[in-house]
Amino acid sequence: MSFSPLIVRLMDALQCLPGVGPKSAQRMVLHLLERDRQGASQLSEALKAAVEGVGHCQRCRTLTEKDICDICTHPERDGEQLCVVETPADVLAIEQAGGYSGHYFVLMGHLSPIDGVGPEDIGVDQLLAQVETDGVREVILATNPTVEGEATAHYIASALRKLGVKVSRIAHGVPLGGELEYIDGGTLMHAFAGRRELVD
Amino acid sequence: MSFSPLIVRLMDALQCLPGVGPKSAQRMVLHLLERDRQGASQLSEALKAAVEGVGHCQRCRTLTEKDICDICTHPERDGEQLCVVETPADVLAIEQAGGYSGHYFVLMGHLSPIDGVGPEDIGVDQLLAQVETDGVREVILATNPTVEGEATAHYIASALRKLGVKVSRIAHGVPLGGELEYIDGGTLMHAFAGRRELVD
């Protein structure tokens, strides 16, 4: 004997969530049905509304339910700087850090030939067109410091070079609060190569 | 700047799931919207169907979409044995272990005066009525070996005593594959108190 069909169906459906396996799906189902049916209904409706309503910003490609997202339409943001990131979560992380007030371009991924992800999938053409027409003066490449992120940054940098725009890459080095003893060698080498002279 | 309203709403709704906080909710939302919108729709529908369809078995109180669950209506199960457990997950665990072919009674919780959970909330009256009318010969108390589970077992045992039915408690001791060295003292004392003579 097992659980009844509707319960099994819900347990299966929950496993589409990252990090949720059979055991945690079972725990979630029993929690929802025994103690939080209201929360389950709200989650059902929120999922439906998001799937139907959320699309991509036509300018920066981030996830939004509007045609153009709030950052792209904000009157006080500096359209001369364009920061290229991999995901909407990266936009949020940079926004929460504060200090950057330019625009973004979200690749929604990175180059990955092995998975069939090429330049057209991450919107490189759209990025080049925007840089050319929108008066962008500096493109800041903030893809992840992984093999794929670095390759993507290099590809975009060489594509942008023809347009005569300034291209920069965010600095890699020892994070604040990090201890040298525990930092990997690659990061340490980046930190040495990117050293700056201290001036009084 | 933060995420757009529909995304924030979905992130909040996901946090009704046990073990899901803001960071994993964010990861789930981005995963669903970027890579698995079909899974999100299916999850939305499965939640709706389960909330609307799943209720409690009128006999054993487990979660089911039928009036009487499959175990209660199964013709080959032994109605003379009734196993009392706390949750539907316990039923599943016992079923998966195999070897028990009687009926169940699911308390859907345990006695907990501090949370306002009394005998009527865990269906003790219904249990007593069923034992009296259905010809049950043995009630096996399989509540958890926690303070609340033990108190619940004792309460039910003393209520059943008047009915002249045999009442037993599942054995507590060293689990198979467990090493004595790492077993807590309470379990070891149970194992000693419940020792059995080996007969050739």
Side-chain angles (χ1 to χ4, degrees):
Chain A
M1 292 284 162
S2 165
F3 288 116
S4 63
L6 285 181
I7 297 180
V8 172
R9 177 180 158 197
L10 180 52
M11 275 171 50
D12 289 343
L14 279 166
Q15 290 176 53
C16 76
L17 297 172
V20 176
K23 267 284 168 192
S24 35
Q26 180 183 314
R27 196 160 62 99
M28 287 172 172
V29 170
L30 296 176
H31 172 84
L32 290 176
L33 291 177
E34 284 171 25
R35 279 190 286 272
D36 196 5
R37 281 174 183 248
Q38 203 195 344
S41 297
Q42 282 168 357
L43 177 54
S44 169
E45 281 156 30
L47 280 163
K48 191 158 179 277
V51 168
E52 288 170 2
V54 175
H56 293 279
C57 171
Q58 289 171 10
R59 287 182 60 84
C60 75
R61 296 178 27 118
T62 196
L63 290 169
T64 178
E65 58 250 41
K66 302 181 179 167
D67 289 338
I68 311 280
C69 76
D70 289 341
I71 294 181
C72 287
T73 53
H74 198 286
E76 283 168 27
R77 298 197 68 119
D78 178 7
E80 297 193 339
Q81 284 190 318
L82 188 67
C83 177
V84 177
V85 295
E86 293 184 25
T87 71
D90 298 334
V91 173
L92 190 73
I94 295 171
E95 286 297 298
Q96 283 173 345
Y100 176 72
S101 62
H103 284 177
Y104 292 94
F105 189 89
V106 184
L107 302 171
M108 302 299 292
H110 46 233
L111 288 180
S112 180
I114 212 166
D115 301 316
V117 180
E120 64 285 358
D121 300 307
I122 58 171
V124 174
D125 287 348
Q126 187 185 340
L127 171 64
L128 294 178
Q130 278 185 26
V131 168
E132 221 167 2
T133 57
D134 294 0
V136 175
R137 286 161 44 121
E138 180 179 4
V139 175
I140 302 167
L141 299 172
T143 53
N144 288 324
T146 56
V147 174
E148 294 91 350
E150 291 290 347
T152 306
H154 277 108
Y155 180 88
I156 295 174
S158 63
L160 285 167
R161 207 154 289 143
K162 304 162 203 157
L163 304 181
V165 67
K166 182 176 166 190
V167 180
S168 58
R169 180 92 173 101
I170 53 166
H172 298 140
V174 180
L176 298 192
E179 295 186 52
L180 255 61
E181 190 178 348
Y182 300 110
I183 303 288
D184 65 291
T187 303
L188 274 182
M189 285 307 97
H190 268 292
F192 272 87
R195 69 188 179 278
R196 293 205 202 164
E197 197 178 341
L198 289 175
V199 194
D200 292 321
Chain B
M1 292 283 164
S2 164
F3 288 117
S4 63
L6 285 180
I7 296 179
V8 172
R9 176 180 159 199
L10 180 53
M11 274 171 51
D12 289 344
L14 278 166
Q15 291 176 54
C16 76
L17 298 172
V20 176
K23 266 287 167 190
S24 33
Q26 180 184 313
R27 195 160 62 98
M28 287 171 173
V29 169
L30 296 176
H31 172 83
L32 290 176
L33 291 177
E34 285 171 26
R35 279 190 286 272
D36 197 5
R37 283 175 181 246
Q38 202 195 347
S41 298
Q42 283 168 357
L43 178 54
S44 169
E45 280 156 31
L47 280 163
K48 190 158 180 279
V51 167
E52 287 170 1
V54 176
H56 293 280
C57 172
Q58 288 170 13
R59 287 181 58 83
C60 75
R61 294 174 34 114
T62 196
L63 291 169
T64 178
E65 58 250 41
K66 301 181 180 168
D67 290 337
I68 311 280
C69 76
D70 288 342
I71 294 181
C72 287
T73 52
H74 199 285
E76 284 169 26
R77 297 198 67 117
D78 177 6
E80 296 192 339
Q81 283 189 319
L82 188 68
C83 177
V84 178
V85 296
E86 294 184 24
T87 72
D90 299 334
V91 173
L92 190 71
I94 296 171
E95 287 296 299
Q96 284 173 342
Y100 175 72
S101 62
H103 285 178
Y104 291 94
F105 189 89
V106 184
L107 302 171
M108 300 301 290
H110 47 232
L111 288 178
S112 179
I114 213 166
D115 301 316
V117 180
E120 63 284 358
D121 300 307
I122 59 171
V124 175
D125 288 348
Q126 187 185 339
L127 172 64
L128 294 178
Q130 279 186 25
V131 168
E132 222 169 358
T133 56
D134 294 0
V136 174
R137 285 160 43 119
E138 180 178 5
V139 176
I140 302 166
L141 298 172
T143 53
N144 287 325
T146 57
V147 174
E148 295 88 351
E150 291 289 349
T152 306
H154 277 108
Y155 180 88
I156 295 173
S158 62
L160 286 168
R161 208 154 288 143
K162 304 162 201 156
L163 303 181
V165 67
K166 182 176 167 190
V167 180
S168 58
R169 179 94 174 100
I170 53 166
H172 298 140
V174 180
L176 298 193
E179 295 185 52
L180 255 62
E181 190 178 346
Y182 300 109
I183 302 289
D184 66 293
T187 302
L188 274 182
M189 286 306 98
H190 268 292
F192 273 86
R195 67 188 181 277
R196 294 206 201 164
E197 198 177 341
L198 290 175
V199 193
D200 292 321

